[in-house]
Amino acid sequence: SMNRISAAIERTMPKVWALDEAKRKALDAKCALTFEEHFAYQNAQARAHATGLITPEEAQIIYVALGEIGSEANGGWAQETDTTTKVVVTRLIGELLEKQLVGSR
């Protein structure tokens, strides 16, 4: 079954590749993570998985995209993670963090 993250990556990829190289590089740079953000993203992923907001498959894609430890050469993401995946995961983590903040009040 197609998970929501794979589906979003497939939908977003042509849009990212339609950008010129300078715009794509700028978009990639915007997704860069600090060590703290990387940690927060992995925590948000784990909590969302534990509470059933995302499926195990979706959690795995996020986990792999972030990597156990982010690569400095790739903006704090796993070494292989491409710009489209960064964009989709960043957007999703934003939504999850919003849900988790609202839910914890």
Side-chain angles (χ1 to χ4, degrees):
S1 67
M2 186 67 134
N3 68 55
R4 289 167 296 184
I5 302 178
S6 300
I9 289 169
E10 249 177 50
R11 272 198 316 275
T12 309
M13 196 163 285
K15 296 177 192 160
V16 172
W17 283 104
L19 300 172
D20 64 48
E21 199 187 349
K23 282 202 176 116
R24 200 159 62 234
K25 280 199 168 126
L27 181 62
D28 193 81
K30 224 176 87 178
C31 293
L33 300 174
T34 64
F35 179 81
E36 291 76 19
E37 286 168 331
H38 184 279
F39 184 73
Y41 276 33
Q42 283 292 28
N43 276 349
Q45 171 274 122
R47 270 204 310 276
H49 182 203
T51 55
L53 276 176
I54 58 174
T55 67
E57 293 76 26
E58 290 166 340
Q60 185 63 18
I61 290 181
I62 299 171
Y63 183 82
V64 170
L66 288 164
E68 189 111 358
I69 296 166
S71 156
E72 250 177 74
N74 196 21
W77 296 77
Q79 217 144 13
E80 316 66 58
T81 304
D82 61 54
T83 304
T84 304
T85 303
K86 292 179 189 181
V87 168
V88 170
V89 170
T90 299
R91 197 184 305 144
L92 181 76
I93 294 284
E95 286 169 21
L96 291 175
L97 288 172
E98 240 167 71
K99 279 194 183 108
Q100 287 168 358
L101 288 174
V102 169
S104 66
R105 269 195 212 120

